[in-house]
Amino acid sequence: MVENQELRKAGLKVTLPRVKILQMLDNTEDRHMSAEDVYKSLMEAGEDVGLATVYRVLTQFEAAGLVVRHNFDGGHAVFELADGEHHDHMVCVDTGEVIEFFDAEIERRQQEVVKEHGYEMVDHNLVLYVKKKGS
């Protein structure tokens, strides 16, 4: 029911594939999923939604502001629900794990740097590529 309201609010027609994909993104523990991950999860759940449909729906969701696309590790796109809360990311170069974080000091310094150069920030995306110590 909530998914139907979200789709309508975003200006999208409520269809079964859209509802199923939105539910999948909303109920997964992995907040960052590729289109292939979404497809595999739907197949495992017994849902009959094709890969091309998953790609199309995720693109529609992105255009409507329901999801955010990230291109981590050389163009591999992953999607996460757009919850309105700003956060940055760390990506483990060994495992591909995506870790979300927020640091007020980093946010403050970014604003200072932008201002020092005579600009105002309209948006930003910080991704740190990391690996476990000793690996």
Side-chain angles (χ1 to χ4, degrees), residues 8-109:
R8 285 192 190 100
K9 195 164 69 176
L12 295 171
K13 186 177 172 188
V14 176
T15 65
L16 192 58
R18 286 180 180 151
V19 170
K20 294 294 182 190
I21 291 169
L22 194 54
Q23 286 174 338
M24 181 65 58
L25 291 170
D26 196 29
N27 296 328
T28 185
E29 288 183 24
D30 185 5
R31 283 187 38 92
H32 303 87
M33 297 181 77
S34 69
E36 293 84 2
D37 294 335
V38 172
Y39 173 71
K40 286 177 192 169
S41 295
L42 288 167
M43 294 303 290
E44 288 170 5
E47 302 295 340
D48 187 24
V49 178
L51 182 57
T53 299
V54 171
Y55 274 105
R56 186 174 59 256
V57 168
L58 288 172
T59 300
Q60 293 166 347
F61 284 1
E62 180 185 16
L66 290 174
V67 299
V68 177
R69 177 193 308 251
H70 299 286
N71 290 307
F72 299 136
D73 68 21
H76 180 70
V78 294
F79 299 84
E80 70 175 312
L81 285 177
D83 60 10
E85 296 289 321
H86 172 74
H87 58 269
D88 295 307
H89 297 93
M90 291 188 293
V91 178
C92 179
V93 296
D94 292 329
T95 66
E97 177 187 10
V98 179
I99 303 106
E100 295 179 353
F101 72 96
F102 176 82
D103 185 293
E105 180 67 13
I106 290 174
E107 297 302 316
R108 185 186 64 73
R109 278 295 297 140

